[in-house]
């Protein structure tokens, strides 16, 4: 194996779990999950999503972390170290590109969060009680080109500043205190939403599968959501695992991150769907769903304005810990493989990504040719969300499972996960993980992709 350059390290297992949970928990849980579930028919989508988290997400999480920790490298360098002279590093390269392209639309939605945070400071969200008023606010905030670009730019600059600071000092500290507060606040909001008139209908919608909704597009979207939400399929967990020490227990760390992440997604479903049914909004509203529904809950609560400020502040930070991990994947590649320093990498990549974010920022009404219906019937942001967030992550995860299951091999994978010796899980459990990585994950993803190509039901 090539010699390893000196790298940062998490301050300990808890620091790592918090940072990785920070990467996983973000707009994917609170913005993307409810709107994808709404478009996918509710309960059926949720059921398939949960199955994919367990059968594909969790094993891929272990596999990415073990490859990262063993090699202490970025996604490209990790493959170079494990299988020198092969084509596999290309897979890492596609992961790095995917991170760049996801960041380019993610930062736009993160900018909306920031916009809502500013609006909640001015008290603008306090008296929005109808779906119509809330939709009008969303359109005015997001459809204004200058404002959308400025908010995205502010977010990107903050992300660059944090990534420039390096792993443990910048990233870890932020998550330590804020994640628990976010969790408690979500619980309070779910309590409020469930007691709204008609709230129970939302609960039924979220958990009662309607099998007539089954389509390959829904399966694909649930698979993409499971991977997107867990930050898998592009090497983010390889990168974060690369900063882990050999003592850390990967089964525990990976399992806790996946568990927290899924809990937060379900919790945000428990907020959005009851509230949505109580104000009569459409579950299929698309990317604006959460932003339109949430203000109506705040206005129905005592001290709603303060709750709104706190919520959008925490959501902004949750988004930031995710954008940081997206940028970190690309930056660690340029630092390790191209010899750039962190500052140069973070600034250059951040600037490039901002340029690519502009069309997404303009695609929610500001520029009609990029907006809904403009490109193959889609707006630019949604199109990118589907291509990079669903297809690229799914194909990446499938090839990665083939790598670990068939090229690197399950024995080496298990040895890497259980390097500290006392970290064994019962043999049947580790065999099961091996079977999932070798057979279930690649076949499930491939079958979905083939079916989609054959039937032409891409989105
Ligand atoms: N998991 C993040 C979220 O749910 O918001 C998004 C994300 C971060 C996806 C990092 C992929 C990634 F590598």
């Amino acid at each position: 194996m090539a010699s390893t350059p000196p790298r940062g390290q998490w301050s300990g297992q808890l620091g790592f779990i918090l940072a990785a949970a920070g990467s996983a928990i973000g707009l994917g849980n609170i913005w993307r999950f409810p709107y994808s579930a709404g478009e996918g028919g509710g309960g059926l989508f949720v059921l398939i999503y949960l199955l994919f988290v367990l059968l594909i997400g969790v094993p891929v999480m272990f596999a990415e972390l073990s490859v990262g920790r063993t090699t202490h490298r970025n996604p490209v360098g990790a493959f170079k170290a494990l299988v020198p002279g092969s084509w596999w590093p290309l897979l890492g390269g596609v992961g790095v590109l995917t991170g760049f392209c996801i960041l380019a639309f993610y930062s736009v939605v993160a900018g909306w969060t920031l916009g809502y945070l500013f609006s909640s400071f001015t008290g603008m969200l306090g008296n929005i009680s109808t779906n119509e008023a809330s939709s009008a606010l969303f359109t005015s905030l997001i459809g204004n080109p200058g404002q959308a670009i400025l908010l995205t730019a502010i977010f990107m600059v903050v992300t660059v500043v944090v990534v420039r600071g390096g792993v443990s000092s910048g990233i870890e500290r932020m998550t330590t205190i804020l994640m628990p507060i976010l969790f408690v606040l979500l619980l309070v909001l779910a309590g409020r939403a469930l007691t709204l008139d008609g709230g129970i209908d939302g609960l039924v919608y979220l958990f009662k599968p309607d099998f007539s909704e089954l389509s390959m597009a829904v399966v694909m979207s649930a698979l993409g959501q499971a991977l997107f939400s867990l930050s898998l399929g592009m090497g983010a967990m390889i990168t974060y695992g690369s900063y882990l020490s050999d003592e850390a227990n990967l089964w525990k760390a990976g399992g806790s991150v996946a568990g927290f992440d899924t809990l937060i997604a379900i919790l945000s479903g428990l907020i959005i769907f009851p509230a949505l049914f109580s104000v009569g909004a459409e579950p299929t509203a698309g990317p604006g769903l959460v932003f339109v529904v949430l203000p109506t809950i705040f206005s129905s609560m005592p001290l709603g304005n303060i709750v709104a400020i706190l919520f959008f502040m925490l959501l902004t930070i949750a988004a930031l810990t995710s954008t940081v991990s997206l940028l970190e994947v690309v930056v660690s590649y340029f630092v390790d493989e191209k010899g750039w320093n962190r500052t140069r990498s973070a600034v250059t990549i951040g600037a490039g990504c901002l340029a690519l974010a502009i069309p997404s920022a303009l695609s929610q009404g500001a520029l009609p040719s990029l907006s809904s219906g403009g490109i193959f019937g889609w707006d630019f942001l949604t199109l990118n969300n589907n291509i990079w967030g669903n297809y690229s992550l799914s194909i990446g995860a499938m090839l990665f499972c083939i790598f670990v299951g068939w090229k690197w091999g399950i024995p080496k994978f298990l040895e890497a996960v259980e390097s500290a010796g006392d970290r064994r899980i019962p043999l049947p459990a580790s065999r099961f993980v091996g079977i999932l990585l070798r057979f279930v994950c690649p076949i499930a993803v491939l079958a979905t992709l083939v079916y989609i190509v054959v039937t032409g039901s891409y989105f």
Side-chain angles (χ1 to χ4, degrees):
M1 196 182 293
S3 72
T4 316
R7 297 168 68 82
Q9 226 174 52
W10 307 112
S11 60
Q13 171 124 337
L14 184 65
F16 164 76
I17 292 181
L18 286 165
S23 164
I25 297 166
L27 297 170
N29 309 60
I30 290 162
W31 159 73
R32 201 179 192 269
F33 172 76
Y35 105 72
S36 306
E39 286 184 335
L44 182 70
F45 175 95
V46 175
L47 180 71
I48 304 174
Y49 158 79
L50 290 175
L51 277 176
F52 280 143
V53 166
L54 276 177
L55 297 179
I56 299 185
V58 173
V60 172
M61 171 76 78
F62 294 140
E64 283 204 18
L65 291 178
S66 69
V67 164
R69 182 177 59 183
T70 303
T71 57
H72 295 295
R73 295 286 176 122
N74 66 86
V76 174
F79 287 110
K80 278 193 194 163
L82 292 178
V83 278
S86 71
W87 288 89
W88 286 104
L90 257 184
L91 176 58
V94 174
V96 172
L97 175 70
T98 304
F100 183 83
C101 293
I102 290 181
L103 181 58
F105 70 80
Y106 197 98
S107 55
V108 172
V109 183
W112 301 350
T113 316
L114 205 55
Y116 269 72
L117 176 61
F118 294 150
S119 308
S120 57
F121 272 124
T122 61
M124 231 155 103
L125 296 186
N127 39 23
I128 302 245
S129 55
T130 64
N131 188 33
E132 289 69 31
S134 197
S135 301
L137 175 73
F138 179 73
T139 312
S140 72
L141 212 82
I142 293 348
N144 175 332
Q147 197 158 310
I149 294 174
L150 181 67
L151 291 170
T152 309
I154 296 175
F155 212 90
M156 193 68 84
V157 168
V158 179
T159 306
V160 166
V161 169
V162 176
V163 169
R164 207 195 130 266
V167 274
S168 51
S169 56
I171 303 170
E172 245 187 73
R173 216 178 304 148
M174 251 187 319
T175 22
T176 318
I177 324 162
L178 295 156
M179 287 291 148
I181 308 182
L182 177 66
F183 184 71
V184 173
L185 190 66
L186 290 175
L187 276 180
V188 171
L189 288 174
R192 174 65 203 135
L194 283 166
T195 50
L196 287 169
D197 271 352
I200 297 303
D201 295 341
L203 201 63
V204 173
Y205 184 80
L206 188 63
F207 290 120
K208 189 158 175 260
D210 172 0
F211 287 94
S212 69
E213 294 276 348
L214 185 64
S215 73
M216 273 302 144
V218 170
V219 174
M220 188 66 215
S221 149
L223 173 63
Q225 178 57 26
L227 296 169
F228 187 94
S229 190
L230 294 170
S231 304
L232 296 172
M234 49 157 273
M237 289 298 162
I238 297 184
T239 308
Y240 270 29
S242 75
Y243 303 114
L244 257 177
S245 78
D246 288 342
E247 283 74 51
N249 183 336
L250 284 193
W251 295 127
K252 225 190 209 163
S256 332
V257 171
F260 281 148
D261 185 71
T262 310
L263 194 66
I264 301 272
I266 297 294
L267 209 48
S268 78
L270 287 176
I271 299 170
I272 300 303
F273 288 100
L276 179 152
F277 276 86
S278 95
V279 291
E282 279 299 321
T284 50
L289 179 72
V290 176
F291 292 93
V292 173
V293 169
L294 276 171
T296 62
I297 313 185
F298 299 134
S299 67
S300 78
M301 293 175 86
L303 300 177
N305 216 6
I306 296 184
V307 178
I309 293 176
L310 194 59
F311 178 83
F312 283 112
M313 200 148 48
L314 292 167
L315 185 57
T316 303
I317 293 162
L320 183 63
T321 52
S322 301
T323 53
V324 159
S325 74
L326 286 161
L327 184 60
E328 178 64 28
V329 171
V330 192
V331 165
S332 72
Y333 165 73
F334 279 94
V335 170
D336 290 354
E337 303 301 314
K338 302 285 170 212
W340 291 17
N341 66 37
R342 279 195 86 80
T343 304
R344 177 180 170 205
S345 308
V347 172
T348 315
I349 298 156
C353 205
L354 179 59
L356 183 62
I358 291 175
S360 280
L362 299 179
S363 73
Q364 302 299 307
L367 210 66
S369 58
L370 291 174
S371 299
S372 192
I375 315 158
F376 310 123
W378 295 84
D379 65 76
F380 192 73
L381 189 150
T382 310
L383 188 74
N384 274 288
N385 188 6
N386 279 327
I387 292 175
W388 302 104
N390 288 343
Y391 284 98
S392 188
L393 293 184
S394 302
I395 295 170
M398 174 183 77
L399 295 174
F400 186 69
C401 289
I402 294 175
F403 171 78
V404 173
W406 299 94
K407 177 78 190 163
W408 196 36
I410 299 298
K412 283 203 181 126
F413 155 71
L414 287 175
E415 202 181 300
V417 177
E418 298 175 338
S419 64
D422 56 339
R423 308 299 191 203
R424 300 253 145 80
I425 54 168
L427 195 61
S430 57
R431 283 224 177 105
F432 184 58
V433 175
I435 292 172
L436 292 176
L437 284 171
R438 275 166 77 97
F439 301 103
V440 177
C441 310
I443 294 173
V445 181
L446 191 67
T448 310
L449 289 170
V450 168
Y451 195 94
I452 281 176
V453 172
V454 171
T455 57
S457 52
Y458 293 98
F459 297 117

